Amino acid sequence: MAFKKEHPYISVIIPVYNCPHGLKDTLKSVIDQNYPKDCYEILPIDNNSTDETPEIINRYQKKFPNLVRGLSELDIQSSYAARNKGVKNANGDILVFIDADMWVENDWLSKIAEEFQDGKPKYLGYNVEIVSEKKNLVSLYNKYNGFQIKRFIEDHHFTGAGCLAASREIFDEVGLFDYNLISGGDNEFGNRVFDAGFELDYTSKTKAYHPARDSFYSLIKKTFRIGRGVYQLKENHPDRYSYLERSVFNTRYLLPDPPHILKRVMDHDVGIKKLTFPLIKWVMRIVRHIGYVYEKGRFEGK
């Protein structure tokens, strides 16, 4: 599918679960685009929220009936399943994904559309900046270890599912996200796109903003989920991820990073951050392994 036109039709897909305030910020910024309003649609997908999130979606749909079209995914509790519902119902030549707690600049869609002007089917990661009003150690650590999209695309052939733009043709060719994965579905999908021979690219011309995790609990919760996703990737896609197999009792996953890795963290700053960042990184390494072991136990117990 080639679409060499100035304003290709874009579908913005926003999965959301119990995030009413974050969704408001996302919708406001996506509505306030300098891209022609008749050239894009906004698809917030409620993933069985138990709070006022569905009401927020309905409110914006009524206020902007020609722009916002609310959907729901109530059968499968998974952000990837919600994204799949958006893909199936989207009308766009380009599908752009963003998470419900993010916000963007008003030229976000215009800049993304420019990247697709050559008409080639494309998988594109865009820039994300982590923002925090709090200046505690956890938020600073999260900011330092945040979305390294360019490196992910170049070294690992994927971008996060919340900062992805892709041609419709890519989904027609390789299929949808694997909704069985609790984490790592963006990794698996990007690798599938790469194996199919499509172009994977990155743009720094536009950016989205993501709030930092500013509590140790939220950081642990995310890292534990990532560890579970690592095992699920290995188990559900052994042809591609068998190398992720790890021994439960291998101390390599419990020890701190080697000196050449820690040096990058230690050199980042001075004072308390210089001392605590390596410690936080080590704790997260252990938590990730615990998540892997937990998921392995769940699979073997079935």
PDB file of all heavy atoms in Angstrom, residues 58-77:
ATOM      1  N   ASN A  58     -16.794   8.075  26.996  1.00  0.00           N
ATOM      2  CA  ASN A  58     -18.104   8.469  26.465  1.00  0.00           C
ATOM      3  C   ASN A  58     -18.241   9.988  26.404  1.00  0.00           C
ATOM      4  O   ASN A  58     -18.816  10.541  25.449  1.00  0.00           O
ATOM      5  CB  ASN A  58     -19.224   7.886  27.334  1.00  0.00           C
ATOM      6  CG  ASN A  58     -19.354   6.383  27.170  1.00  0.00           C
ATOM      7  OD1 ASN A  58     -19.001   5.836  26.119  1.00  0.00           O
ATOM      8  ND2 ASN A  58     -19.851   5.699  28.195  1.00  0.00           N
ATOM      9  N   ARG A  59     -17.716  10.671  27.413  1.00  0.00           N
ATOM     10  CA  ARG A  59     -17.811  12.127  27.457  1.00  0.00           C
ATOM     11  C   ARG A  59     -17.074  12.762  26.267  1.00  0.00           C
ATOM     12  O   ARG A  59     -17.587  13.665  25.600  1.00  0.00           O
ATOM     13  CB  ARG A  59     -17.231  12.631  28.774  1.00  0.00           C
ATOM     14  CG  ARG A  59     -17.499  14.106  29.061  1.00  0.00           C
ATOM     15  CD  ARG A  59     -16.832  14.508  30.365  1.00  0.00           C
ATOM     16  NE  ARG A  59     -17.168  13.587  31.457  1.00  0.00           N
ATOM     17  CZ  ARG A  59     -16.494  13.508  32.583  1.00  0.00           C
ATOM     18  NH1 ARG A  59     -15.437  14.287  32.786  1.00  0.00           N
ATOM     19  NH2 ARG A  59     -16.864  12.661  33.525  1.00  0.00           N
ATOM     20  N   TYR A  60     -15.865  12.271  26.007  1.00  0.00           N
ATOM     21  CA  TYR A  60     -15.097  12.825  24.891  1.00  0.00           C
ATOM     22  C   TYR A  60     -15.687  12.426  23.543  1.00  0.00           C
ATOM     23  O   TYR A  60     -15.623  13.190  22.572  1.00  0.00           O
ATOM     24  CB  TYR A  60     -13.634  12.378  24.988  1.00  0.00           C
ATOM     25  CG  TYR A  60     -12.806  13.270  25.891  1.00  0.00           C
ATOM     26  CD1 TYR A  60     -12.751  13.046  27.262  1.00  0.00           C
ATOM     27  CD2 TYR A  60     -12.101  14.351  25.374  1.00  0.00           C
ATOM     28  CE1 TYR A  60     -12.008  13.866  28.099  1.00  0.00           C
ATOM     29  CE2 TYR A  60     -11.346  15.180  26.192  1.00  0.00           C
ATOM     30  CZ  TYR A  60     -11.316  14.933  27.555  1.00  0.00           C
ATOM     31  OH  TYR A  60     -10.582  15.756  28.375  1.00  0.00           O
ATOM     32  N   GLN A  61     -16.268  11.246  23.477  1.00  0.00           N
ATOM     33  CA  GLN A  61     -16.892  10.813  22.231  1.00  0.00           C
ATOM     34  C   GLN A  61     -18.095  11.684  21.884  1.00  0.00           C
ATOM     35  O   GLN A  61     -18.313  12.042  20.717  1.00  0.00           O
ATOM     36  CB  GLN A  61     -17.319   9.350  22.357  1.00  0.00           C
ATOM     37  CG  GLN A  61     -17.918   8.766  21.094  1.00  0.00           C
ATOM     38  CD  GLN A  61     -18.142   7.276  21.216  1.00  0.00           C
ATOM     39  OE1 GLN A  61     -17.434   6.483  20.614  1.00  0.00           O
ATOM     40  NE2 GLN A  61     -19.131   6.875  22.009  1.00  0.00           N
ATOM     41  N   LYS A  62     -18.864  12.066  22.906  1.00  0.00           N
ATOM     42  CA  LYS A  62     -20.014  12.936  22.675  1.00  0.00           C
ATOM     43  C   LYS A  62     -19.581  14.348  22.293  1.00  0.00           C
ATOM     44  O   LYS A  62     -20.214  15.007  21.472  1.00  0.00           O
ATOM     45  CB  LYS A  62     -20.894  12.978  23.929  1.00  0.00           C
ATOM     46  CG  LYS A  62     -21.649  11.683  24.192  1.00  0.00           C
ATOM     47  CD  LYS A  62     -22.491  11.772  25.459  1.00  0.00           C
ATOM     48  CE  LYS A  62     -23.235  10.481  25.726  1.00  0.00           C
ATOM     49  NZ  LYS A  62     -24.032  10.547  26.985  1.00  0.00           N
ATOM     50  N   LYS A  63     -18.491  14.799  22.913  1.00  0.00           N
ATOM     51  CA  LYS A  63     -18.026  16.159  22.644  1.00  0.00           C
ATOM     52  C   LYS A  63     -17.336  16.267  21.285  1.00  0.00           C
ATOM     53  O   LYS A  63     -17.412  17.304  20.618  1.00  0.00           O
ATOM     54  CB  LYS A  63     -17.068  16.599  23.749  1.00  0.00           C
ATOM     55  CG  LYS A  63     -16.663  18.062  23.674  1.00  0.00           C
ATOM     56  CD  LYS A  63     -15.832  18.471  24.891  1.00  0.00           C
ATOM     57  CE  LYS A  63     -15.467  19.953  24.836  1.00  0.00           C
ATOM     58  NZ  LYS A  63     -14.675  20.358  26.036  1.00  0.00           N
ATOM     59  N   PHE A  64     -16.662  15.194  20.863  1.00  0.00           N
ATOM     60  CA  PHE A  64     -15.934  15.197  19.577  1.00  0.00           C
ATOM     61  C   PHE A  64     -16.360  13.976  18.764  1.00  0.00           C
ATOM     62  O   PHE A  64     -15.555  13.071  18.502  1.00  0.00           O
ATOM     63  CB  PHE A  64     -14.422  15.167  19.822  1.00  0.00           C
ATOM     64  CG  PHE A  64     -13.908  16.293  20.672  1.00  0.00           C
ATOM     65  CD1 PHE A  64     -13.733  16.130  22.039  1.00  0.00           C
ATOM     66  CD2 PHE A  64     -13.593  17.523  20.098  1.00  0.00           C
ATOM     67  CE1 PHE A  64     -13.238  17.166  22.824  1.00  0.00           C
ATOM     68  CE2 PHE A  64     -13.117  18.574  20.869  1.00  0.00           C
ATOM     69  CZ  PHE A  64     -12.952  18.392  22.240  1.00  0.00           C
ATOM     70  N   PRO A  65     -17.623  13.933  18.331  1.00  0.00           N
ATOM     71  CA  PRO A  65     -18.159  12.729  17.675  1.00  0.00           C
ATOM     72  C   PRO A  65     -17.499  12.390  16.343  1.00  0.00           C
ATOM     73  O   PRO A  65     -17.538  11.234  15.913  1.00  0.00           O
ATOM     74  CB  PRO A  65     -19.640  13.064  17.487  1.00  0.00           C
ATOM     75  CG  PRO A  65     -19.684  14.563  17.463  1.00  0.00           C
ATOM     76  CD  PRO A  65     -18.630  15.007  18.417  1.00  0.00           C
ATOM     77  N   ASN A  66     -16.919  13.377  15.691  1.00  0.00           N
ATOM     78  CA  ASN A  66     -16.272  13.124  14.401  1.00  0.00           C
ATOM     79  C   ASN A  66     -14.791  12.787  14.539  1.00  0.00           C
ATOM     80  O   ASN A  66     -14.116  12.553  13.535  1.00  0.00           O
ATOM     81  CB  ASN A  66     -16.432  14.338  13.483  1.00  0.00           C
ATOM     82  CG  ASN A  66     -17.881  14.629  13.151  1.00  0.00           C
ATOM     83  OD1 ASN A  66     -18.670  13.709  12.930  1.00  0.00           O
ATOM     84  ND2 ASN A  66     -18.237  15.903  13.129  1.00  0.00           N
ATOM     85  N   LEU A  67     -14.324  12.762  15.780  1.00  0.00           N
ATOM     86  CA  LEU A  67     -12.892  12.537  16.004  1.00  0.00           C
ATOM     87  C   LEU A  67     -12.628  11.364  16.950  1.00  0.00           C
ATOM     88  O   LEU A  67     -11.744  10.542  16.695  1.00  0.00           O
ATOM     89  CB  LEU A  67     -12.267  13.810  16.575  1.00  0.00           C
ATOM     90  CG  LEU A  67     -10.744  13.858  16.694  1.00  0.00           C
ATOM     91  CD1 LEU A  67     -10.088  13.674  15.330  1.00  0.00           C
ATOM     92  CD2 LEU A  67     -10.300  15.183  17.308  1.00  0.00           C
ATOM     93  N   VAL A  68     -13.391  11.283  18.028  1.00  0.00           N
ATOM     94  CA  VAL A  68     -13.165  10.244  19.035  1.00  0.00           C
ATOM     95  C   VAL A  68     -14.204   9.134  18.886  1.00  0.00           C
ATOM     96  O   VAL A  68     -15.408   9.398  18.846  1.00  0.00           O
ATOM     97  CB  VAL A  68     -13.248  10.832  20.464  1.00  0.00           C
ATOM     98  CG1 VAL A  68     -13.061   9.727  21.504  1.00  0.00           C
ATOM     99  CG2 VAL A  68     -12.217  11.935  20.648  1.00  0.00           C
ATOM    100  N   ARG A  69     -13.725   7.905  18.799  1.00  0.00           N
ATOM    101  CA  ARG A  69     -14.608   6.740  18.679  1.00  0.00           C
ATOM    102  C   ARG A  69     -14.182   5.706  19.718  1.00  0.00           C
ATOM    103  O   ARG A  69     -13.189   5.012  19.559  1.00  0.00           O
ATOM    104  CB  ARG A  69     -14.545   6.169  17.260  1.00  0.00           C
ATOM    105  CG  ARG A  69     -15.413   4.946  17.024  1.00  0.00           C
ATOM    106  CD  ARG A  69     -15.693   4.744  15.536  1.00  0.00           C
ATOM    107  NE  ARG A  69     -14.495   4.672  14.745  1.00  0.00           N
ATOM    108  CZ  ARG A  69     -13.890   3.509  14.380  1.00  0.00           C
ATOM    109  NH1 ARG A  69     -14.398   2.368  14.771  1.00  0.00           N
ATOM    110  NH2 ARG A  69     -12.811   3.532  13.635  1.00  0.00           N
ATOM    111  N   GLY A  70     -14.942   5.642  20.818  1.00  0.00           N
ATOM    112  CA  GLY A  70     -14.582   4.742  21.898  1.00  0.00           C
ATOM    113  C   GLY A  70     -14.897   3.290  21.584  1.00  0.00           C
ATOM    114  O   GLY A  70     -15.908   2.976  20.956  1.00  0.00           O
ATOM    115  N   LEU A  71     -14.002   2.400  22.028  1.00  0.00           N
ATOM    116  CA  LEU A  71     -14.179   0.962  21.866  1.00  0.00           C
ATOM    117  C   LEU A  71     -13.959   0.300  23.226  1.00  0.00           C
ATOM    118  O   LEU A  71     -13.529   0.945  24.187  1.00  0.00           O
ATOM    119  CB  LEU A  71     -13.175   0.406  20.852  1.00  0.00           C
ATOM    120  CG  LEU A  71     -13.211   0.979  19.431  1.00  0.00           C
ATOM    121  CD1 LEU A  71     -12.002   0.510  18.641  1.00  0.00           C
ATOM    122  CD2 LEU A  71     -14.498   0.567  18.726  1.00  0.00           C
ATOM    123  N   SER A  72     -14.218  -0.987  23.296  1.00  0.00           N
ATOM    124  CA  SER A  72     -13.965  -1.716  24.540  1.00  0.00           C
ATOM    125  C   SER A  72     -13.503  -3.130  24.234  1.00  0.00           C
ATOM    126  O   SER A  72     -13.928  -3.730  23.232  1.00  0.00           O
ATOM    127  CB  SER A  72     -15.218  -1.746  25.425  1.00  0.00           C
ATOM    128  OG  SER A  72     -16.285  -2.396  24.758  1.00  0.00           O
ATOM    129  N   GLU A  73     -12.623  -3.628  25.067  1.00  0.00           N
ATOM    130  CA  GLU A  73     -12.189  -5.019  25.041  1.00  0.00           C
ATOM    131  C   GLU A  73     -12.455  -5.579  26.432  1.00  0.00           C
ATOM    132  O   GLU A  73     -11.682  -5.355  27.365  1.00  0.00           O
ATOM    133  CB  GLU A  73     -10.703  -5.121  24.679  1.00  0.00           C
ATOM    134  CG  GLU A  73     -10.096  -6.504  24.809  1.00  0.00           C
ATOM    135  CD  GLU A  73     -10.883  -7.574  24.082  1.00  0.00           C
ATOM    136  OE1 GLU A  73     -10.840  -7.621  22.839  1.00  0.00           O
ATOM    137  OE2 GLU A  73     -11.563  -8.375  24.782  1.00  0.00           O
ATOM    138  N   LEU A  74     -13.586  -6.277  26.582  1.00  0.00           N
ATOM    139  CA  LEU A  74     -14.037  -6.739  27.890  1.00  0.00           C
ATOM    140  C   LEU A  74     -13.777  -8.224  28.111  1.00  0.00           C
ATOM    141  O   LEU A  74     -13.886  -8.711  29.240  1.00  0.00           O
ATOM    142  CB  LEU A  74     -15.534  -6.452  28.054  1.00  0.00           C
ATOM    143  CG  LEU A  74     -15.973  -5.004  27.801  1.00  0.00           C
ATOM    144  CD1 LEU A  74     -17.480  -4.865  28.021  1.00  0.00           C
ATOM    145  CD2 LEU A  74     -15.202  -4.029  28.681  1.00  0.00           C
ATOM    146  N   ASP A  75     -13.446  -8.944  27.061  1.00  0.00           N
ATOM    147  CA  ASP A  75     -13.299 -10.398  27.179  1.00  0.00           C
ATOM    148  C   ASP A  75     -11.885 -10.820  27.594  1.00  0.00           C
ATOM    149  O   ASP A  75     -11.717 -11.824  28.272  1.00  0.00           O
ATOM    150  CB  ASP A  75     -13.648 -11.078  25.841  1.00  0.00           C
ATOM    151  CG  ASP A  75     -15.095 -10.870  25.445  1.00  0.00           C
ATOM    152  OD1 ASP A  75     -15.947 -10.808  26.360  1.00  0.00           O
ATOM    153  OD2 ASP A  75     -15.372 -10.758  24.240  1.00  0.00           O
ATOM    154  N   ILE A  76     -10.880 -10.071  27.168  1.00  0.00           N
ATOM    155  CA  ILE A  76      -9.495 -10.443  27.435  1.00  0.00           C
ATOM    156  C   ILE A  76      -8.816  -9.293  28.172  1.00  0.00           C
ATOM    157  O   ILE A  76      -8.750  -8.172  27.656  1.00  0.00           O
ATOM    158  CB  ILE A  76      -8.719 -10.736  26.126  1.00  0.00           C
ATOM    159  CG1 ILE A  76      -9.441 -11.801  25.311  1.00  0.00           C
ATOM    160  CG2 ILE A  76      -7.291 -11.185  26.441  1.00  0.00           C
ATOM    161  CD1 ILE A  76      -8.864 -11.991  23.919  1.00  0.00           C
ATOM    162  N   GLN A  77      -8.336  -9.553  29.390  1.00  0.00           N
ATOM    163  CA  GLN A  77      -7.657  -8.520  30.171  1.00  0.00           C
ATOM    164  C   GLN A  77      -6.200  -8.459  29.747  1.00  0.00           C
ATOM    165  O   GLN A  77      -5.350  -9.198  30.222  1.00  0.00           O
ATOM    166  CB  GLN A  77      -7.758  -8.827  31.667  1.00  0.00           C
ATOM    167  CG  GLN A  77      -7.417  -7.643  32.563  1.00  0.00           C
ATOM    168  CD  GLN A  77      -8.438  -6.519  32.424  1.00  0.00           C
ATOM    169  OE1 GLN A  77      -9.636  -6.758  32.508  1.00  0.00           O
ATOM    170  NE2 GLN A  77      -7.970  -5.308  32.198  1.00  0.00           N
TER     171      GLN A  77
END
